[in-house]
Amino acid sequence: MPEPTTKTASAFTKVPKSIEVTVGSVAEFSAETAKVGADVKWQKDGEDIQSGEKYTIRAKDTQHTLTVNEVTPDDEAVYSVICGTSKIHFDLKIFHPDGEEGSGLPTDDSLPDSAKGRKDSVWSVGEGSTDEIDKHDESQRSTLFIEKPQSTVMNVGGDVIFTAKVEAKDLLRKPTVKWFKGKWMDLASKAGKHLQLKELYDRNAKIFTFEMHIIKAKENYGGNYRCEVTYKDKFDSCTFDLEVLESPATPQPIDIRSAFKRSGEGQDDAGELDFSGLLKHREVKQEDTGPDIDVWELLKAAQPSEYEKIAFQYGITDLRGMLKRLKRIKREEKKSAAFAKVLDPAYQVDKGGRIKLIVDLADPTVDLKWYKNGQEIRPSTKFIFEHKGTQRMLVINNCTLNDDAAYQVRAGDEKCQTELFVRELPVTITKELQDTSTYVGERFELECEVSEEGANVKWFKNGVELENGVRARHRIKEDGLKHYLYIDDATKADSGTYSVMTTGGTSKAEIKVDLRPLRIIQPLTDMTVKLGDEINLKCEISENISGRWYKNAQIIQSSDRVKMYHKGRIHRLIIMNSLVDDEGDYTFVPEAYAITLSAKVHVIDPPKIHLDFLKAVDYTVTVVSGNKLRLEIPVSGEPAPKVVWKRGDKVITDSSGRIRAESHPDHSSLIIDCAERDDSGNYSIMVMNEAGLDSAVIKIKVVDVPDPPEAPLVTEVGEDWCIMNWEPPKYDGGSPILGYFIERKKKQSSRWMRLNFDLCREHTFEPKKMIEGVAYEVRVFAVNAIGTSKPSMPSKAFIPLAVTSEPTLLAVDDVTDTTVTMKWRPPDHIGAAGLDGYVIEYCFEAGTVPDSDSDSAWTPIITDAAQFRNLGALTDSNEAAKLTDSNVDKSAEVDASAAVQPGTVAAPPSSGKTTPTKDASVGSETKEVPDSSKAGGEGAAQKGKALTGKQDKPALPGKVENITPAGIAGGQPVSQTEQAKATAEPTLSKDIQITQDNRGVDAASEQKESKDAVTTPTEVARPSERWTVANPDLTDKTRFTIPNLPTGAKIFVRVKAVNAAGASSPRLHPQPILVKEVVEPPKIRLPRHLKQTYIRRVGETVNLVIPFQGKPRPKVIWKKDGVLVDVSQVSIRNSECDTIIFIRKAARGHSGKYELTVQVDTLEDKATIDIQIVDRPGPPQVVQIVQVWGENAALEWKPPKDNGNAAITGYTIQKADKKTMEWFTVIEHYQRTSITIPDLIIGNEYYFRAFSENMCGLSENATVTKNCAKIEKEGTPYKNPNYKEFDFSEAPQFTHPLISTIAVAGYNATLNCSVRGNPKPKIYWFKNRVLITDDPRYRTFNSQGVCTLEIRKPSPYDGGIYSCKAENDLGSTEVECKLEVKVTQ
């Protein structure tokens, strides 16, 4: 490790001494500095002292004095004197006249010569003299330290702090600092009670502070110290002295604390108390103990088992310290078998020097190897191996910094090692730098010479280090001992103070760079050019330097039009295509000179009016009426031309009128405020100057928005739309009408809404998406190229309304002999007008007369199909005629199968789709038939055509019979091809569904009749045109019964929905309805789960719903076990389609077979339901012990009398000891009635009991054996020993403590712990040491020793320290935890 040869000396040559004075006297301290006029400060307890009545401060040359006048006890303190970075501490002690003394030290005069301290301080192992140490080489500068520790003088027992500071501005990490005493003693391993090392870092100032604290210094602490700091390849060090003065020996009382001295300070056993120190202060009677005995010799020779005896005999109380010291002594006395003398701990050599490492071998024949940093050293010119007798030497020649390492020598299996420190000598400057003066552009160099080749030399300019780089203006060169700094083409910025620094000194030189005198060879000349010509300015100066061109004091930048040339001493400025803006004062300024060359350039141009921006051929300018027109016409000319505006023969002046003109250097403006229609016309402009004149004519046109149209008319109104018309405006504003905007609003509202965002170019519009039933108004805007006109007057208010859609799902609900009940669904669309009600109309089938005795099975056809055209029209009820017996044609009978049975759903007439229908009696699905809603619409097309249909044979129930069109083959059956052609025409016969009569026809007779029957044309069923209103008043219900109908008649029914807009289209039932009740045989639809036994427990509810069908309404009869059901015990409720049997609370008496009978006339259907109400069984009968042998007992019992109305599934057997009578289960679900119970305990007596079990569970009671079974041991009876009862008493103890937790506010939190103790302890809960009692927010639980505290919905205020305390007669204990309640965001 390199080490400097010199150190920074103290600023003081004489330091103040601590003194002791009496109260009221004067205390004087004096110090002497090394320099005259040095700045010295005095401090008391770290605060500056100012000269005044109390303190007198004097300074003369190098002498400095502090006088304390009229000393008081308050003046007793630590004082210090500061000069530069040197700071000396000293004490002022006060002596009290009453005999009490302070803790001060005697004055320097009372000290013996040996204690006054030494005036020179050298290293403890150094060889320097006092003169060498006191020399201070001002040329050495620290590269890392910004503040170094200073030498200090102090007294024994005092404290001192040495401070070193390192600037961290350029450091990437913390530097490494080491403190040494002497040359090699590293103080980091000695840190302890008396020595402390601290490190601080100031982030704002970026300074590392390293401190070494010496506490209660001892006399041997004095000496030379060194502080070293390293950072990467940088190194710095400084030395300082500490002089410790010895205090006078004064008798003091025994201090028991000082007797406990610590053994081995700074060693491995530092900190152990040595109690033997007490023996030194005891005054014991001197006895003749014979010759002195070395205790350590005894200990080394004794066995380890005798150590304690010897220590007790000779008064050694610190046994642990004794053993450590003895171990260390034994370790130190271990001798090497290979080495007679090992290497020294460390060696030091100067750089370039030669050193010899010597080791003495005990055995010269042993194999020896040398190592450097663990690598074996081979002989070379650098490393030479020598031997002399038993000595082995390693010679290192020409030592360098790379030789600074750890060296090791190995002899056989043993080794020893040392460290070699190579000290680098400072490099001095043997030839100083010389001040130099030069001119700009020339080359200069600086030269210095150092004492060593290859030295690290740094160059600085104005204190900033110069680095050698590719882009640097300077070049640094090294040639042996000489070092050069070159700068080519010098500039004024190169002037400054240049310095060179080595490790041994610094040299400075001043460099001054001046400008050469400048002469103007050719100046700039004034020139006049025409617009567009080239401007060429040229000048010549005596120096080849650059410069800048200025125009009107503004710097000129080079561009495509402006070129600047510099060739040697000539400078040229060329401006191509000159402009008027190029006129001005041009100046050339040479760089770095205060000389300017100036010239004027004048550009001339004839006047001209520029109208290129007016794109119109005739120079027309259009302005909107009411706007301000500012027409700026660019003009050019040099000098500036005069501008005149005219309208006709009238000149427009520059006055402040509505129409005025303004003139500017580059343009002229015509201004018209608030343009009017009369302002339209031709305006002329004329410009003139000395070079000529120019004129032009401009046409101005004033336009406006159109007038508003007239109020629009609403011609048609629909559900959410209307049609409106309007007329165009009378005046279009001078611009064609482009279109119209339409707006609407609700009449009660004031907010208009735009209906079209694209212009409407027509004069009619259809607003849509209006709310039905709301009054609206509309208005119109006219739009031209200028803008939008004002709105027209609103139209008259109108309300969009529409009738509802037709009702849906019209179907027959019920039919009797005199009534027909229809049902339907409301319309799909009702609209804003709402729904007031429904109108139901009916009419009889055309061409037939109702006859209840008619047995005819076929339906006559309609001869005129055009009658279907008005099926959807609403007819006046007064025009509808009722059918009577007088107008009934009994010769024509209607087949009953053509009538619609109840439950058939009518197909919607407007859907155009087919609707599947079902036969009411059979329930089978029929073929789909087309909707008849289009019949009315197609009536005109079918007018004049006769539609006939023929039934080839009787139709089976649910089938659709063929309808044969009339006129094909004379009504005879035709082929499928012909029939397909006929059906392609829109015939109404397809709209009717014909089915078999429900009363049934003998199939054989029908087939026979069909063969014998004559094929004749048949008529299609159709309604008459006389519709009768069934309800005089509107009905709001969706079900209606038409009364007073003749039995056997066939009617058509239709329904209309009515609102404020009128009646909707009718919904027509497409098939005729036969007014005759149809008998339907009864049928019970028994649910699947009731086809098996229905089981319920006692007390449960029985609610059974059994659906059935049949017409007319069937009669329902319930029987239980052949007897009518008692309605007081069982509730029976019947409806048209189902029956309900209800038992609110079932009992076992409700069990049985229930028979349901459904009757319609003489027809009936039956179903049986088996209901079983079960309960738990009774106990078994007579449980008795049959036999007892060994450890077994045999039991028998009888089944219970009451099995709970369910089968017994098993038994549960239990046993109980006669002493405790606690029952334990032996076996469960046992199905037999006898059992043998094994593994009974000898000597015990047992009782047994049995439970019976069924599907409901165990019996409530059990049957117990009357006698007990005693298990006896055969042979010698067993006598129970007498044991002492165990004491289970125990003080409370928590086996699981409380755990600190975090709870969420609003959610319950629990704290848990477990405790044991006997007797059972009482539990108390506390919050923050306050007992929790009767607080509804807290709930406590204690189960099996687990204690729980529940906090209901805690808040942040419930956080704190919770504790649980357990207490019984034997003691108490407590645990606690912390609960934190957080509020979720």
Side-chain angles (χ1 to χ4, degrees), residues 502 529 733 758 865 903 968 979 1014 1159 1234 1299 1363 1376:
T502 64
V529 297
D758 296 331
I968 301 177
Q979 186 174 356
V1014 179
Q1159 296 179 351
S1234 62
I1299 299 176
S1363 57
E1376 65 180 21

Side-chain angles (χ1 to χ4, degrees), residues 291-304:
D292 294 336
I293 299 176
D294 189 351
V295 180
W296 298 108
E297 294 296 332
L298 291 177
L299 290 172
K300 287 190 290 182
Q303 296 294 329

Side-chain angles (χ1 to χ4, degrees), residues 1262-1292:
T1263 303
V1264 184
T1265 57
K1266 294 182 180 180
N1267 301 324
C1268 62
K1270 185 176 182 181
I1271 310 302
E1272 296 181 352
K1273 181 180 180 181
E1274 299 178 358
T1276 304
Y1278 176 76
K1279 182 179 181 181
N1280 291 327
N1282 185 16
Y1283 294 104
K1284 183 179 180 181
E1285 185 177 359
F1286 182 76
D1287 186 10
F1288 290 94
S1289 299
E1290 182 183 7

Side-chain angles (χ1 to χ4, degrees), residues 129-144:
S129 63
T130 304
D131 297 337
E132 295 175 349
I133 297 301
D134 291 340
K135 290 180 180 179
H136 178 68
D137 188 359
E138 293 294 340
S139 63
Q140 292 190 7
R141 300 298 182 197
S142 172
T143 59
L144 291 176

Side-chain angles (χ1 to χ4, degrees), residues 286-294 314:
Q286 297 293 334
E287 296 182 359
D288 187 9
T289 58
D292 294 336
I293 299 176
D294 189 351
Y314 291 96

Side-chain angles (χ1 to χ4, degrees), residues 127 139 194 206 488 539 606 865 924 1009 1022 1050 1083 1086 1106 1218 1247 1313:
E127 299 175 356
S139 63
H194 295 279
K206 294 186 177 180
D488 297 324
C539 66
S924 60
E1009 291 176 1
R1022 65 175 181 83
K1050 290 186 178 181
K1083 179 66 176 178
L1086 188 65
I1106 298 93
K1218 184 179 180 181
Y1247 285 95
C1313 62

Side-chain angles (χ1 to χ4, degrees), residues 545-621:
I545 58 175
S546 61
R548 294 186 178 183
W549 289 90
Y550 294 86
K551 173 191 172 185
N552 298 331
Q554 299 293 326
I555 190 169
I556 300 175
Q557 302 292 340
S558 180
S559 64
D560 295 339
R561 196 173 63 89
V562 180
K563 304 293 183 182
M564 289 176 284
Y565 299 97
H566 172 208
K567 185 176 181 182
R569 298 177 297 177
I570 298 176
H571 295 266
R572 189 188 303 271
L573 173 64
I574 299 176
I575 302 177
M576 295 177 291
N577 299 326
S578 61
L579 305 175
V580 177
D581 295 339
D582 295 333
E583 182 174 344
D585 295 333
Y586 288 80
T587 305
F588 176 74
V589 179
E591 187 176 353
Y593 286 91
I595 299 176
T596 60
L597 290 82
S598 301
K600 290 186 178 181
V601 176
H602 182 59
V603 181
I604 61 174
D605 185 26
K608 186 177 181 181
I609 301 174
H610 302 277
L611 298 177
D612 298 338
F613 69 97
L614 297 177
K615 298 182 180 180
V617 178
D618 54 353
Y619 301 132
T620 301
V621 177

